[in-house]
Amino acid sequence: FGLYTFALNYHFNQLNPFGYHVVNLLIHLLTGVFVWKLLAALCQSPRLRGSVLEDRSFCVAYFGALLFLMHPLQTQAVSYITQRLASLATLFYVGAVYFYIKARFLENESSRVKNVTLAMLLAIAGVFTKEIVFTLPIVLILVEVFYNPTLKNAFVRKEGRGNVVFFAFLCIGLIVPIF
C-alpha cells in the first residue's frame, strides 16, 4: 500500500522532494489526530470511568498527542522520504486500535459494525504497508486485559448474545498473521 503512495507522488511531483515531504507531514499529522482520539477513548474506558483521568481526558489526550507529534524521534517520519512506510503503518495501526476501542465500548450496534469494519480495513491496510502491524492482535488483547474491568464479559454481552466485537477480534487476529 505504501508503495502506491510513492507512485502517486511520483505521478504528480516526479523527483521534486517537496511533494513527498508534504504527504509525509500529512500522514504524521493524521496519526497525531488518531493518537489524540485513542488516548481520549482509553481515558473513558470502563476501567477508568470515574477516575481523575476520565475527568481530564482532553488534557491527557492533547498532551500525549503533542508529545507524539513533537518528539525528536519523529523527525525521521517527515524528513526521510522512505520512512513513509513506517509512518503509514503507524497510522493504520493506531487507527485500527482506536476504532476497535470505539466499537468495544459503544452501545449502539450500528456504530459497532461500522467501527469494527474500519478497524479491520485499517489492519489489513497496515499489514500491506509494513510488517510491524503483525503485533496488532497482541495489542488488542492487552487493551482488553488492561481496560476492561470484567474480563469474563469482555466478548459476551450480559444477555448472552454473541458480540460483534468478538468476531472483529477474531478476524483481526487471524487476518493479520495470514497476510
Side-chain angles (χ1 to χ4, degrees):
F1 189 81
L3 298 178
Y4 288 121
T5 65
F6 284 128
L8 280 173
N9 256 141
Y10 183 78
H11 176 74
F12 290 110
N13 302 104
Q14 298 298 310
L15 296 177
N16 183 3
F18 180 76
Y20 294 86
H21 289 298
V22 168
V23 172
N24 285 3
L25 180 63
L26 290 174
I27 290 169
H28 185 64
L29 292 173
L30 189 57
T31 305
V33 169
F34 272 127
V35 167
W36 176 48
K37 290 179 157 293
L38 174 64
L39 290 174
L42 287 175
C43 286
Q44 296 179 5
S45 66
R47 173 86 45 142
L48 298 177
R49 284 197 185 122
S51 71
V52 170
L53 288 177
E54 182 185 25
D55 296 336
R56 298 183 179 147
S57 64
F58 178 81
C59 290
V60 170
Y62 177 77
F63 286 112
L66 193 63
L67 180 65
F68 172 81
L69 287 170
M70 303 306 251
H71 198 278
L73 288 175
Q74 299 297 339
T75 57
Q76 291 181 17
V78 177
S79 60
Y80 294 147
I81 292 171
T82 59
Q83 285 300 320
R84 178 181 302 176
L85 298 176
S87 297
L88 206 53
T90 304
L91 170 69
F92 295 143
Y93 196 110
V94 173
V97 174
Y98 166 68
F99 283 114
Y100 177 82
I101 289 171
K102 195 171 173 186
R104 184 69 189 95
F105 301 131
L106 280 180
E107 295 301 320
N108 186 349
E109 198 66 37
S110 64
S111 294
R112 268 180 211 229
V113 171
K114 178 185 78 165
N115 290 322
V116 163
T117 303
L118 286 171
M120 285 193 285
L121 289 175
L122 287 171
I124 292 169
V127 168
F128 282 116
T129 302
K130 196 162 170 106
E131 298 82 11
I132 61 171
V133 182
F134 183 74
T135 61
L136 182 60
I138 297 166
V139 168
L140 297 182
I141 290 171
L142 292 174
V143 164
E144 287 295 333
V145 169
F146 288 113
Y147 291 99
N148 192 1
T150 55
L151 199 55
K152 68 177 182 175
N153 292 330
F155 297 114
V156 180
R157 289 189 176 188
K158 291 177 184 166
E159 304 92 47
R161 295 185 329 201
N163 195 335
V164 73
V165 177
F166 178 67
F167 176 71
F169 177 77
L170 284 178
C171 287
I172 292 172
L174 294 174
I175 288 172
V176 169
I178 288 172
F179 282 115

